Amino acid sequence: MQKERRKKRKKSINMVEIKLLSSGKDSATYVVKGTTPVYLNTIRRMILQRVLTLAIEDVTFVENGSALYDESVAHRMGLVPIVADLETYSLKSKCKCGGNGCARCELTFTIDKKGPGIVYAEDIKFADPSVKSAYPKMPVVKLLENQNMKAEGKATMGCGKQHMKFAPGTVYYRGYPEIKINTPAEVA
C-alpha cells in the first residue's frame, strides 16, 4: 500500500505542468496541473515564511502631533512594502558586524512632515537613495492644521517566519475538481 502511494507521489512530481495565465506589475496567475494541494501549500508557505524582505523594524518619534498613538503609526510604517536590492543587505544574524548594526544589515530612514495633509509612504526618506516604497501613495497617517510628524528609525531584513511584516505578499491557491465520466450518458 505504501509503495503504491510513493509511486503515485513520484509520478505526480515528474508530471507537474505549470502555465502562466497572466502577469502584471504586482501579481501573477498560474495554472498548476499534476500535483496535490499538499505540494502547492508547501510552496505557498515557503514563499510566505522563507523569502527575505526588508521592513521597518524600529521607529523613534521626535514629534507625533497626529491623533494616533506612536505604536499605531509605527505599526503602519512597518507594513509599508519596501523595494530594495536585497543583495546589498544581509540578515543581522549573518552580518559581519555580529548583529550590532551596520550599513549592511540596517537601513536608516527619516520622516518629517507638517500638516495639514496626509503622510504617505513616499514621505519616508531612506538613507539609501535606491530604496523606496513599493506603493508611494500608501497613507500612513493624516495630519491636521498645526500637527507635525518627525521620526527616525531602522529597517532590517527578515522573513515571514519572524513576523508577518516581512512576508513578500499574498500567496494563495484554489483547487478545481477533476471530473471524469467513465460511461457515456444514456439518452432517454
Side-chain angles (χ1 to χ4, degrees), residues 43-113:
I43 292 168
R44 180 189 72 80
R45 290 181 62 150
M46 293 301 283
I47 291 169
L48 289 175
Q49 294 181 1
R50 302 287 183 178
V51 173
L52 294 174
T53 60
L54 198 60
I56 293 175
E57 183 74 25
D58 296 318
V59 181
T60 304
F61 288 93
V62 177
E63 183 178 357
N64 180 9
S66 73
L68 294 179
Y69 294 114
D70 292 354
E71 297 85 4
S72 298
V73 178
H75 176 70
R76 289 179 173 201
M77 291 171 76
L79 296 175
V80 171
I82 300 171
V83 177
D85 178 19
L86 299 180
E87 297 295 321
T88 59
Y89 297 99
S90 66
L91 289 169
K92 274 188 150 184
S93 60
K94 295 182 180 178
C95 188
K96 293 176 184 175
C97 71
N100 295 325
C102 65
R104 184 144 170 77
C105 64
E106 289 183 345
L107 174 65
T108 59
F109 71 89
T110 59
I111 189 165
D112 188 2
K113 183 89 176 198

Side-chain angles (χ1 to χ4, degrees), residues 2-188:
Q2 286 183 345
K3 286 184 179 181
E4 289 176 26
R5 286 183 190 161
R6 278 191 222 130
K7 282 182 182 179
K8 281 184 180 180
R9 255 189 257 144
K10 284 184 179 180
K11 196 174 185 181
S12 68
I13 291 171
N14 295 334
M15 299 176 65
V16 174
E17 180 184 329
I18 301 172
K19 180 181 174 186
L20 177 66
L21 284 183
S22 65
S23 66
K25 179 185 172 200
D26 297 332
S27 66
T29 305
Y30 298 91
V31 172
V32 182
K33 293 181 182 177
T35 189
T36 64
V38 173
Y39 289 111
L40 291 176
N41 194 45
T42 301
I43 292 168
R44 180 189 72 80
R45 290 181 62 150
M46 293 301 283
I47 291 169
L48 289 175
Q49 294 181 1
R50 302 287 183 178
V51 173
L52 294 174
T53 60
L54 198 60
I56 293 175
E57 183 74 25
D58 296 318
V59 181
T60 304
F61 288 93
V62 177
E63 183 178 357
N64 180 9
S66 73
L68 294 179
Y69 294 114
D70 292 354
E71 297 85 4
S72 298
V73 178
H75 176 70
R76 289 179 173 201
M77 291 171 76
L79 296 175
V80 171
I82 300 171
V83 177
D85 178 19
L86 299 180
E87 297 295 321
T88 59
Y89 297 99
S90 66
L91 289 169
K92 274 188 150 184
S93 60
K94 295 182 180 178
C95 188
K96 293 176 184 175
C97 71
N100 295 325
C102 65
R104 184 144 170 77
C105 64
E106 289 183 345
L107 174 65
T108 59
F109 71 89
T110 59
I111 189 165
D112 188 2
K113 183 89 176 198
K114 297 181 188 319
I118 296 175
V119 177
Y120 291 105
E122 68 185 0
D123 295 321
I124 301 170
K125 305 299 179 198
F126 294 98
D128 183 351
S130 66
V131 176
K132 60 183 180 189
S133 168
Y135 304 103
K137 290 299 179 185
M138 183 178 184
V140 176
V141 67
K142 183 176 182 178
L143 298 175
L144 300 176
E145 189 71 39
N146 298 323
Q147 291 181 338
N148 299 324
M149 172 74 62
K150 281 187 182 182
E152 55 190 31
K154 298 173 185 171
T156 60
M157 291 282 289
C159 58
K161 191 173 181 179
Q162 292 172 277
H163 193 281
M164 200 59 196
K165 69 182 168 189
F166 293 113
T170 303
V171 182
Y172 65 94
Y173 67 92
R174 292 183 289 202
Y176 291 102
E178 189 175 306
I179 300 171
K180 291 182 181 179
I181 300 174
N182 294 330
T183 58
E186 294 182 19
V187 180

